[in-house]
């Protein structure tokens, strides 16, 4: 199917692709959350190594509602449950919003523990709102007692375009800064 056709953008795609994407992304984010859970107090609590830096102006985070060790543990429990529900496809749209709120709060509260991959995953969760990721292989499909074989294509295509643009811009910047010519890409990445 041509990417210049209307059906490519506004048609349908196989719901199993969306389900595999949801399960894969959800597992990665859930494992990352569990990994970060062990460092929750030093990185996110007010008693940790990153104290409050004053008002956050235009930024927001659920961690601003409470940064005691107990509150941070509760926020991580909230995040773990929302990511698990997203992975399993339970109330998929709601769990997607809750997962995004948790991920955005993590990155806003302490951007020093985030990588570019964290922001890409957060963006993919946002695009997931525009795709019916719970159409098949999900607890939502079990609850409905019906599984759909296709989902609207627009959200799926937007995710693909986002990733393609990201890699195009990254490759362009690497070429412009001489990573391929000088062969010191790893060195440049580590000294920045």
């Amino acid at each position: 199917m041509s990417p210049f056709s209307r059906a490519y953008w506004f048609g349908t795609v196989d719901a199993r692709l969306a389900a595999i994407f949801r399960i894969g992304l959800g597992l990665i984010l859930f494992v990352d959350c569990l990994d970060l859970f062990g460092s929750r107090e030093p990185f996110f609590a007010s008693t940790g190594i990153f104290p409050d830096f004053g008002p956050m102006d235009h930024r927001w985070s659920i961690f601003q509602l409470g940064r005691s060790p107990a509150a941070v543990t509760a926020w991580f429990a909230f995040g773990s449950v929302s990511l698990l529900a997203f992975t399993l496809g339970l109330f998929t749209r709601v769990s997607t919003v809750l997962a995004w709120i948790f991920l955005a709060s993590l990155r806003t509260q302490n951007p020093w523990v985030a990588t570019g991959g964290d922001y890409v995953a957060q963006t993919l969760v946002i695009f997931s709102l525009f795709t019916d990721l719970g159409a098949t292989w999900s607890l939502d499909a079990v609850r409905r007692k019906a599984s759909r074989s296709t989902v609207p294509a627009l959200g799926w295509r937007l995710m693909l375009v986002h990733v393609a643009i990201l890699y195009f811009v990254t490759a362009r910047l690497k070429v412009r800064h001489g990573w391929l010519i000088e062969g010191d890409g790893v060195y440049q990445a580590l000294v920045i």
Side-chain angles (χ1 to χ4, degrees):
M1 181 181 307
S2 169
F4 301 107
S5 69
R6 181 175 172 79
Y8 181 82
W9 295 98
F10 298 104
T12 59
V13 294
D14 192 341
R16 293 174 296 183
L17 291 173
I20 290 169
F21 171 78
R22 181 197 77 237
I23 294 166
L25 180 63
L27 284 174
I28 289 168
L29 294 173
F30 183 71
V31 169
D32 185 47
C33 178
L34 292 180
D35 185 44
L36 204 52
F37 181 79
S39 304
R40 70 192 178 285
E41 288 185 33
F43 289 147
F44 298 100
S46 57
T47 57
I49 57 176
F50 293 106
D52 288 324
F53 292 108
M56 295 178 68
D57 300 327
H58 63 283
R59 298 174 297 155
W60 61 269
S61 171
I62 58 174
F63 290 92
Q64 293 299 313
L65 299 174
R67 290 197 55 215
S68 69
V72 169
T73 301
W75 292 128
F76 268 87
F78 161 79
S80 298
V81 169
S82 64
L83 289 169
L84 188 60
F86 173 78
T87 305
L88 297 174
L90 179 63
F91 303 109
T92 308
R93 301 267 184 190
V94 174
S95 63
T96 302
V97 171
L98 296 177
W100 180 80
I101 289 170
F102 175 69
L103 295 171
S105 295
L106 279 177
R107 308 311 171 221
T108 300
Q109 189 61 39
N110 191 347
W112 295 282
V113 297
T115 66
D118 295 322
Y119 292 106
V120 171
Q122 183 179 326
T123 304
L124 290 175
V125 171
I126 281 291
F127 280 119
S128 296
L129 288 172
F130 303 104
T131 304
D132 186 7
L133 298 182
T136 190
W137 297 350
S138 68
L139 293 178
D140 285 345
V142 171
R143 281 186 316 112
R144 284 191 310 263
K145 296 183 176 123
S147 181
R148 292 191 299 278
S149 61
T150 61
V151 294
L154 183 61
W156 184 256
R157 302 293 188 218
L158 291 174
M159 279 193 274
L160 296 176
V161 167
H162 168 73
V163 173
I165 290 171
L166 174 79
Y167 280 103
F168 172 77
V169 170
T170 302
R172 184 174 174 270
L173 287 172
K174 288 179 180 180
V175 169
R176 285 183 62 195
H177 291 287
W179 281 34
L180 297 178
I181 297 168
E182 298 169 17
D184 62 348
V186 174
Y187 171 76
Q188 287 182 19
L190 294 175
V191 296
I192 294 179

